[in-house]
Every structure is written in C-alpha cells, then in structure tokens.
Amino acid sequence: MKNEFKRLVIVTLTLTCIFSGTVFARDVQKYNEAKNTYANSRLLPETEEMAYDITQGSPKSTAMGAAVSSIRNGGQGVIKILAETNMFKPVDWACLTVYLEQWDEENRSWKIVGEYEQEFLPEDEDDGQLTSVELDLSFPGHPMGYYYRARVLHELEFDGDWYEIRVTKTDGILMKYVP
C-alpha cells in the first residue's frame, strides 16, 4: 500500500513537471484590433464632409451602452475626431484610444498617421460616477487631398475584474483644405 502511494505521488509529480510550463497570454484584443489596418471601410464620395460609426449595446455587454466615433474636416487643415462611450452603469476605469488613419492608395490599405489615448477614472468626475466619456480631438498638420478615417477602441473595467472592449471605425472621407 505504501509503495503504491509512493508510486502514485512520483507519477503525479513527474506528469506535473512534464506538462507544466510557462503560459504566455495572447496579445490583448485591443492591440490586435488596433494594428488591423486592413479592416474594411468605404471611401465616401468627395461631397461627404463627415463620417461616423455608432455601435449600440449588445446582449453580451454588461456595462457598455453605446460607442461612437466620427471624423470631419475642421477647416484650415485640421482633422476633427469625436469619440464617446456611454455606459449602462458606473465603471471603475475607461479608456479611449483614437487612431487617425490615412488611405494608402498604393498598398490599398489604411495606415496609422496619428494616435491619442486617454484614461478616465471615477475620481475625475464631479459626482464620482464614471458613466460616460468623451474626447473631441484636433489633428493639425496632416496633408490634405487624402482619405482619412477614425478608428476608436472603447475600453471599460468594472466590478473589480470585468473588462469590455468595442471598436468603432468610420468610413473614409476626403480631406480638402477649407479656409
């Protein structure tokens, strides 16, 4: 009986050593989404001056209500991007990561030409409740005469360890210099 128990312990330890190893977590979806510049977007007609994407809450969502992004010509060579996230309930942390992307006709893909990230905490709010976040950004100095789009990562953490992410992306609009 003692020998069988020893043998069981030895086999268990051996198998544990053989099948254990360092486990590396895969990249967080955020970074995979962020670098996915091949995600489809339409190039809107030249007459379109604004593009937007709105994603309403999904049945799987626990805290994220709506995610919104828009891009427009701000005039005088400035590209304006609005990003907003609304929540069903207060959260512990929120983050908006905004990517300005330019259409590369030669490679037939989008390339990131501007990036901005901001984190939000309940302490930042007057009432201490983080239920919506918004960024209204200006990107000056980019060449006009190209198509641009906005891609935004909307992230939330709540209830200690729950995490939600949603990606919005606009269609491409042709930016022309407007005085």
Side-chain angles (χ1 to χ4, degrees):
M1 183 77 156
K2 249 185 189 180
N3 287 339
E4 287 180 25
F5 181 72
K6 280 183 181 179
R7 190 176 313 188
L8 179 64
V9 169
I10 291 172
V11 168
T12 303
L13 288 174
T14 304
L15 289 175
T16 302
C17 290
I18 291 172
F19 293 110
S20 69
T22 305
V23 176
F24 295 102
R26 292 180 55 165
D27 287 340
V28 176
Q29 179 183 356
K30 166 186 171 179
Y31 300 105
N32 292 334
E33 291 277 355
K35 302 307 177 194
N36 182 9
T37 56
Y38 295 99
N40 292 334
S41 286
R42 296 180 305 148
L43 300 180
L44 297 177
E46 291 183 24
T47 55
E48 294 290 330
E49 297 179 2
M50 183 173 142
Y52 62 90
D53 185 19
I54 300 173
T55 305
Q56 299 293 338
S58 71
K60 294 180 181 179
S61 180
T62 305
M64 191 174 300
V68 180
S69 62
S70 69
I71 185 170
R72 67 182 174 84
N73 191 333
Q76 298 183 346
V78 176
I79 300 169
K80 301 285 283 181
I81 295 178
L82 175 71
E84 183 177 357
T85 308
N86 296 305
M87 293 73 128
F88 293 130
K89 63 181 187 176
V91 297
D92 304 324
W93 173 86
C95 184
L96 291 171
T97 306
V98 177
Y99 295 93
L100 173 63
E101 298 178 333
Q102 182 183 54
W103 179 247
D104 182 352
E105 187 64 40
E106 185 178 312
N107 294 319
R108 311 277 308 152
S109 67
W110 294 96
K111 65 179 179 179
I112 298 171
V113 295
E115 185 176 327
Y116 183 83
E117 180 176 276
Q118 184 168 337
E119 295 182 2
F120 303 87
L121 298 170
E123 300 87 58
D124 300 333
E125 300 300 315
D126 294 334
D127 62 358
Q129 300 285 309
L130 188 55
T131 56
S132 68
V133 294
E134 181 180 313
L135 286 176
D136 191 2
L137 301 172
S138 297
F139 288 89
H142 292 279
M144 296 289 107
Y146 293 94
Y147 278 91
Y148 290 92
R149 77 171 180 186
R151 191 150 38 101
V152 180
L153 303 177
H154 308 260
E155 300 173 88
L156 305 176
E157 280 186 10
F158 53 97
D159 296 339
D161 63 349
W162 285 91
Y163 178 80
E164 281 187 39
I165 185 170
R166 191 162 300 146
V167 178
T168 57
K169 66 175 173 25
T170 67
D171 288 324
I173 61 170
L174 183 63
M175 291 291 176
K176 296 183 245 173
Y177 187 81
V178 177

